[in-house]
Amino acid sequence: MINSRKVAIIGCGMVGATTAYTLMQHGLFSEMVLVDVNKERAEGEAMDINHGMTFASPMDIYAGDYDDIMDAAIIVVTAGAGQKPGETRLDLVKKNAGILGTIIPEIAKRHYEGILLIVANPVDILTHVAQKMSGLPRNRVFGSGTVLDTARLKFLLGRHLNVDNRNIEAYIIGEHGDSEIPVWSSANVGGVPIHDFCEMRGFYNHEKAMEEIANGVKNSAYEIIRKKKATYYGIAMGVQRICEAIVRDEKSILPVSIYLDGEFGLEGATLSLPSIVGKNGIEKIVPISLSEEEQKALAHSAEVLKETAATIGVK
Ligand code: NAD
């Protein structure tokens, strides 16, 4: 039986540990199991986070193994090497698909009935591998995708326009990586089309601003990794947001990564599109309206991802 108040995190490095810390602070779950190939690491993180419990809400947090996590509502997979400076996310594919190949069979053979949330990179390819390898339906195996990139887009736009970024409706779709696409055609702030809002704030050079902001989003991870070796706060909060949508059955629209089965005329690639997320995982991919150029860029992103998946023999 699935326990809707239980979460597991596989991989307790920077991303996994920060996610655990974030989840503990939000009090969404009452039980959290930390799993790592380095058991001492998981134990150390559980101890450290437990020691802050008196300042938060009661919760059972411990290091465990696969047998301990099969009733978790969500298993978050952050196990995998991070990007090295100058390395693209796709460079990581072989290394991290190998690691995933030791994790997913452990879950599949125990007939897991909850939701698998993939975070390790390259997240789209690993989500694709996890879905195929686990045999679970695609609505229950998805990736954090461009949730983080979309948060970065909103942050940069909010700062540029001097407006609360929560009032911005805009998405990054496609690959969580170099071929990602900002959907400018439907972006708006408080219901006002983005270009009109920019002009209201005194900005008229739309092409230049869009290019700078899109590049800022795309290069954020590279810049943070160059400066401090890894990124983990933003993604941890993004994972918390996805978990919240699931546990509270919020039906929130989040740009998560899912295997495409004909949506937008695309098949066989796993990438991010705004999707309704609730207690059963992804309920529906939202048919966001795209310009012709955005549709072409999405098809290109799907091709890039399919080619990369093919390099490790995954279709
Ligand atoms: P890290 O090296 O700090 O941690 C990785 C952890 O995984 C280590 O503790 C390691 O022992 C563990 N691990 C390795 N193999 C394992 C296995 N078979 N079973 C269980 N645990 C295993 O790396 P990090 O900085 O935490 O990053 C983790 C992953 O998250 C990377 O792939 C990184 O690129 C990715 N990431 C994704 C996003 C996103 O938006 N999706 C953002 C940031 C980082």
Side-chain angles (χ1 to χ4, degrees):
M1 252 282 269
I2 287 295
N3 175 352
S4 66
R5 291 279 171 177
K6 179 168 175 177
V7 65
I9 299 178
I10 303 182
C12 303
M14 298 311 297
V15 174
T18 313
T19 298
Y21 176 66
T22 307
L23 291 174
M24 181 273 230
Q25 290 219 316
H26 278 79
L28 190 60
F29 297 100
S30 51
E31 188 174 346
M32 175 159 59
V33 189
L34 305 183
V35 180
D36 199 291
V37 72
N38 176 352
K39 187 91 193 270
E40 288 222 314
R41 176 84 195 241
E43 286 169 358
E45 295 297 354
M47 282 176 75
D48 198 2
I49 295 172
N50 272 325
H51 297 165
M53 187 98 70
T54 194
F55 309 115
S57 311
M59 186 175 175
D60 192 13
I61 304 173
Y62 55 95
D65 218 320
Y66 290 95
D67 284 336
D68 300 313
I69 67 173
M70 286 306 119
D71 59 343
I74 306 168
I75 297 178
V76 182
V77 181
T78 67
Q83 265 170 280
K84 300 274 178 315
E87 197 176 44
T88 69
R89 291 189 183 92
L90 298 185
D91 290 335
L92 279 180
V93 69
K94 284 206 173 87
K95 214 180 336 180
N96 286 352
I99 290 176
L100 201 66
T102 67
I103 295 170
I104 301 300
E106 293 295 331
I107 295 170
K109 77 181 183 203
R110 289 171 172 82
H111 308 292
Y112 179 58
E113 290 178 354
I115 289 169
L116 258 182
L117 176 59
I118 310 298
V119 177
N121 275 322
V123 67
D124 305 295
I125 303 290
L126 296 190
T127 303
H128 192 112
V129 171
Q131 202 266 323
K132 294 281 166 192
M133 212 182 253
S134 66
L136 295 175
R138 66 176 184 150
N139 63 303
R140 283 174 41 215
V141 185
F142 53 96
S144 58
T146 54
V147 164
L148 178 57
D149 315 66
T150 296
R152 287 171 173 153
L153 174 71
K154 289 186 181 183
F155 166 72
L156 291 176
L157 269 173
R159 202 167 60 172
H160 176 65
L161 297 172
N162 194 19
V163 68
D164 184 342
N165 76 67
R166 293 171 302 178
N167 296 129
I168 297 169
E169 183 73 17
Y171 294 97
I172 299 277
I173 61 170
E175 180 196 359
H176 169 58
D178 295 341
S179 70
E180 67 187 26
I181 305 116
V183 184
W184 295 115
S185 63
S186 61
N188 71 81
V189 187
V192 177
I194 190 83
H195 289 346
D196 295 349
F197 197 93
C198 287
E199 290 176 13
M200 197 181 96
R201 290 305 225 186
F203 298 108
Y204 294 89
N205 196 345
H206 303 311
E207 290 303 320
K208 185 164 173 282
M210 287 190 302
E211 193 187 332
E212 277 176 11
I213 287 174
N215 284 338
V217 172
K218 207 182 290 185
N219 295 325
S220 296
Y222 296 123
E223 190 178 345
I224 297 169
I225 289 165
R226 183 172 58 75
K227 290 182 166 158
K228 54 169 267 191
K229 295 199 167 57
T231 79
Y232 35 90
Y233 295 120
I235 184 60
M237 292 177 78
V239 171
Q240 147 66 29
R241 180 68 196 93
I242 299 169
C243 289
E244 192 175 51
I246 297 168
V247 172
R248 292 163 48 85
D249 195 20
E250 288 181 353
K251 327 270 186 207
S252 303
I253 298 181
L254 297 167
V256 284
S257 184
I258 181 171
Y259 180 81
L260 296 187
D261 192 14
E263 291 86 1
F264 292 83
L266 303 169
E267 204 146 351
T270 298
L271 49 69
S272 288
L273 286 164
S275 306
I276 300 176
V277 180
K279 69 176 188 311
N280 298 318
I282 294 184
E283 274 188 15
K284 185 153 186 56
I285 296 174
V286 175
I288 186 174
S289 78
L290 301 175
S291 68
E292 207 175 304
E293 207 179 318
E294 289 160 353
Q295 172 72 46
K296 268 193 202 144
L298 184 65
H300 169 71
S301 196
E303 264 325 294
V304 168
L305 287 162
K306 275 166 83 168
E307 281 167 19
T308 310
T311 63
I312 52 165
V314 182
K315 285 207 177 126

